Amino acid sequence: MRKLLSFIAIISLLLSFAFPVAHAGTISKTVQAVSNKVQYITAGEFVTSLLMGAKVKPNGIADYWGKAVSMGLIPAEVKKDKPLTRAQASYIVWKLINSVPELKNKNIPVKAEILTPWDLTIRGRGYLYDFLTNLNFVMYWADLLVIDNYYADGTRETKYVWDTLKGYIMRDDFEKFLYDFAKKNPDKLKVAPKTEGGYIKYDPATKSYYYCLPFENGIKNSLLSPDTKYAIDFGGTKWNLAYDLRRNKYLEEYIKNYPRRFALDYTRFAQMADDYTKIPQLYREPMLRLADLGIITPEMSPLFVAKVRFNPAKMLTRSDAVQLITRVFDKSKRDVYDEFVWQLRDYVDMNTGIVYLWDDYKKDYKPRMSIYNKSVYNKLKSGDVPVFSEPKITFRMDKLKLLALIKEIMNDPVEKYYWTKFWNNRIGNSFVVYSFAGLEFYLPYGRLHLIPWEDKGFNIVNFPVGWVTPVVPKAYLAEVKKDFKYYTSNNVKLPPDGIVKRYGDVYMWYVNRFGSMNMAYWCSVNPSNSNFYPNAKIMYAKPDPNIK
């Protein structure tokens, strides 16, 4: 780590001071030249710094450019003494990663495996639901997949991906989804537990299927008894086990492979970007690949929160170059646009069954003890609420507007101040909320929470601006600030259902809900279109014509 920091410091100095000193008598011209030199990096300087970091030996004495050319890293249009674009720099980096074994082993998976929450349970890697969970709750989790990436250096990276199935809102449509599956696959509508992998086993003595959790010391969780075709949940609902992915491997595989809102690999960024077609063909894959790795991070579109921009023709500045090169060699500095690291309030050690809770005062996890006997651990048991098996998870979300809100709050200095001063440094949490279904995120500083469905009314009315930084496209930022100041003044009388104003693809709802004061609420969807406040006055903001 110390060597890496030293390298970064050296590179920063090289990139900052690699220009001539001005001489007296040519001040104005030289200042402009130096300004340009400081702002942008040449391709030669960038390649030298990059190859030095990768410990690639130059051709001859310090001929890193010649080495890069011989390695096939340099596009024909890139010149050594000229600046280079973000797209060109991405191409060079991606080619280098593929050319240097150490970088390739750490960045390009040799194997990727897609798992369902049920896979996590039977493999003893988490406890999101079990054989007792109601079928509707199991289907609510269908939007969640887990991606394991395995690398040649022996490491595994796990990402929890909330990516909704295309054409369905599982909270409302899971029955339709199951009926559609049956209609399209009548030959696969049958009880067929997944015994591949050895996690679900068959007991010939009882002619039943079962699985064991690591901490249960061989206790068999009975999944299916002989001739059982139906189950009754805790609410009294009866269902055919052929419609249960825990008992029908074909249904589970169908859910796993069903098209989602976004692709599960690097190509999802092509779907998000409103300037993807502006990326020259040669540079498209490199930019998408580096965005997936978090080495480059696209920016939010100035017109839409739910769109991103790569700005492929933007010239690479020296500060851009330092950040990019640092991220190539230090994964902790990377930032994937649609991902964030979520620290949980509790997690379970699946080897022991002990659940650990975050202690706000001691700033550490402590084992949960029995409320009846403080010397006995309160261990996980069948039917418990869902819990993950690690204290931090990398989470990817397809709801880009809610994602932007989460990231904004996590990085907001005012929120961090309140977090430290008033909220005892409490950390976030995520778990199933059965009343709304799906995951719920308690934002890190204790005051706000949401679930990853943008059309849910629960999300609409819970983000008063003033508590939350309004996440609006840049082209609308000046107008939303002006509107906020005006409509939250108590001298302004608002309609009974308030005013809903659209800024690009997000909304502000200005209303006096409680008869005491005017307030502004940030909304990911139009609240008046969700049958909450149908009589609200609808207005549309105009983007700043100077911001495209």
Side-chain angles (χ1 to χ4, degrees), residues 311-482:
N311 297 312
K314 182 180 177 182
M315 306 306 289
L316 196 71
T317 67
R318 293 182 176 276
S319 61
D320 291 338
V322 170
Q323 182 186 71
L324 196 159
I325 293 172
T326 301
R327 289 179 173 183
V328 170
F329 303 107
D330 185 354
K331 283 190 172 185
S332 70
K333 304 296 183 183
R334 297 182 182 182
D335 181 15
V336 182
Y337 185 89
D338 59 347
E339 296 176 1
F340 57 93
V341 176
W342 196 258
Q343 187 166 359
L344 307 178
R345 191 174 296 280
D346 56 14
Y347 73 96
V348 63
D349 181 340
M350 292 297 291
N351 291 316
T352 64
I354 297 174
V355 177
Y356 290 83
L357 302 175
W358 177 258
D359 189 312
D360 291 331
Y361 293 94
K362 295 183 179 180
K363 311 296 183 295
D364 196 8
Y365 287 96
K366 301 295 181 184
R368 187 173 67 186
M369 311 305 293
S370 169
I371 59 175
Y372 304 107
N373 187 341
K374 295 300 182 183
S375 64
V376 175
Y377 295 124
N378 191 349
K379 293 188 175 183
L380 184 71
K381 57 185 180 297
S382 296
D384 271 357
V385 295
V387 62
F388 293 94
S389 63
E390 46 198 321
K392 289 184 178 181
I393 62 174
T394 298
F395 199 86
R396 183 190 301 169
M397 183 187 289
D398 69 330
K399 305 301 184 187
L400 297 185
K401 289 181 275 186
L402 297 184
L403 174 82
L405 178 67
I406 290 175
K407 283 196 164 186
E408 182 71 28
I409 295 172
M410 292 177 78
N411 297 313
D412 189 298
V414 176
E415 291 293 333
K416 288 183 178 180
Y417 168 78
Y418 281 107
W419 177 49
T420 302
K421 187 172 179 64
F422 299 113
W423 293 99
N424 234 0
N425 292 293
R426 291 181 182 174
I427 60 173
N429 199 5
S430 59
F431 56 92
V432 166
V433 178
Y434 290 136
S435 58
F436 292 102
L439 289 171
E440 179 170 348
F441 295 95
Y442 274 75
L443 299 184
Y445 314 123
R447 293 187 288 171
L448 302 170
H449 47 119
L450 58 83
I451 58 176
W453 279 310
E454 286 177 346
D455 66 332
K456 189 66 180 175
F458 182 72
N459 287 329
I460 292 171
V461 297
N462 272 269
F463 307 124
V465 174
W467 286 10
V468 176
T469 304
V471 180
V472 296
K474 186 178 179 181
Y476 298 92
L477 191 57
E479 185 166 353
V480 79
K481 288 181 177 179
K482 181 181 67 175

